[in-house]
Amino acid sequence: MPAQRPLISYDAFVETATADPAVVGLVLKGSRAHEGMTTEHSDHDLYVVLAEGATTGLTRYAGHRTPELDLVILTLDEFRAAGMPGFERYALARGRVVLDRLDGEIARILSTKARLDADEAHQEAAAHLDAYANSLYRSVKNARDGQALAARLDAADSVRFLLEFLFALDRRPRPYNKYLHWELCRFPLPAWDTGHLLDTVSRIAATGDVATQRDLFARVEAVARAAGHGAVLDGWGGDLRLMRPRR
């Protein structure tokens, strides 16, 4: 029977880790790193960054997971690579530095995760734009053919790809759904009204309304072409007529 990991509170662990010279950084992520998002159910998601080759007894807490504290223990090089790419990128991009023994290097690593480089952003935007167009096309076609459930499901898929596209255009990792409202209210997407965008994607995800999808696509098409992604849309040829507003 495997040995049970020792239990420890967040405050006690931070005190212990701060006193350990092998630890070069502590980063809090999740709701406790997002001001105003903490609830009675919020735990502490903590990255523990170790110096390369360091020996520490803290490894006995690897995989520690309780309702109060989740730990990820990794080396500095592993921390640099975390979420690059990957699901954790947004969480780390908005992470809060609890300890940085490297003269700001931990904070600089987080800043790198928060900003896509130009080539990466362009490639991701193109891929997500094409996926958005595909889901939009399928939704509108299914609605036309009387497939109401399929139309709504495809519409909901299109919202996911659209948000990925818009954030990639701004060279940012897309936030998790939980933090979308938080993110946009504090860091709006350029040239997009946050309230209107959130209301629009909410309506599309809930109802699959075709007219709303088409009106949004008209705006997206203009933005995409201005950003140099016209070829992605032109690849859809005559099918664009089904996606555009009816005049």
Side-chain angles (χ1 to χ4, degrees):
M1 182 176 180
Q4 187 175 18
R5 294 187 181 92
L7 300 180
I8 190 169
S9 70
Y10 170 75
D11 289 336
F13 183 85
V14 169
E15 182 179 356
T16 300
T18 301
D20 190 329
V23 177
V24 296
L26 296 172
V27 174
L28 191 64
K29 67 182 182 70
S31 58
R32 291 190 180 272
H34 288 71
E35 183 181 359
M37 291 294 293
T38 303
T39 74
E40 61 180 311
H41 305 293
S42 298
D43 62 2
H44 296 80
D45 293 299
L46 191 68
Y47 271 77
V48 184
V49 186
L50 305 178
E52 296 298 326
T55 301
T56 173
L58 292 179
T59 54
R60 70 186 184 277
Y61 291 106
H64 183 281
R65 185 178 179 88
T66 69
E68 182 187 1
L69 177 63
D70 288 353
L71 295 176
V72 176
I73 300 176
L74 69 181
T75 68
L76 182 60
D77 284 347
E78 290 170 336
F79 180 65
R80 291 183 195 278
M84 301 291 282
F87 184 71
E88 287 290 279
R89 184 165 187 171
Y90 172 77
L92 287 166
R94 292 291 178 221
R96 179 165 66 82
V97 176
V98 177
L99 174 70
D100 188 342
R101 282 203 175 100
L102 301 177
D103 297 323
E105 181 62 15
I106 298 297
R108 285 189 288 271
I109 292 171
L110 295 182
S111 295
T112 298
K113 298 179 188 298
R115 185 73 172 165
L116 282 63
D117 68 41
D119 288 342
E120 177 187 20
H122 188 84
Q123 291 174 10
E124 287 199 9
H128 293 309
L129 175 62
D130 192 51
Y132 162 64
N134 182 57
S135 291
L136 168 62
Y137 174 72
R138 290 177 181 277
S139 177
V140 175
K141 188 170 66 170
N142 282 324
R144 179 199 65 190
D145 295 342
Q147 300 291 333
L149 174 59
R152 291 196 303 273
L153 292 174
D154 286 324
D157 285 343
S158 77
V159 167
R160 174 167 62 94
F161 295 123
L162 169 65
L163 292 172
E164 294 279 6
F165 168 67
L166 294 180
F167 277 96
L169 279 188
D170 200 33
R171 297 176 58 182
R172 293 154 59 185
R174 181 203 158 180
Y176 305 153
N177 293 333
K178 177 179 180 178
Y179 302 119
L180 178 63
H181 185 273
W182 185 97
E183 180 79 15
L184 288 178
C185 287
R186 288 159 178 78
F187 309 98
L189 290 166
W192 289 86
D193 178 89
T194 292
H196 181 68
L197 177 60
L198 288 173
D199 287 346
T200 300
V201 298
S202 177
R203 182 178 182 188
I204 289 171
T207 70
D209 182 72
V210 170
T212 303
Q213 291 194 75
R214 283 172 166 158
D215 287 343
L216 179 58
F217 179 72
R219 174 74 189 281
V220 173
E221 181 173 11
V223 168
R225 292 188 183 280
H229 293 290
V232 173
L233 296 176
D234 290 338
W236 283 86
D239 290 333
L240 287 172
R241 289 193 295 272
L242 197 63
M243 307 180 207
R244 290 169 172 155
R246 297 294 174 88
R247 302 302 182 193

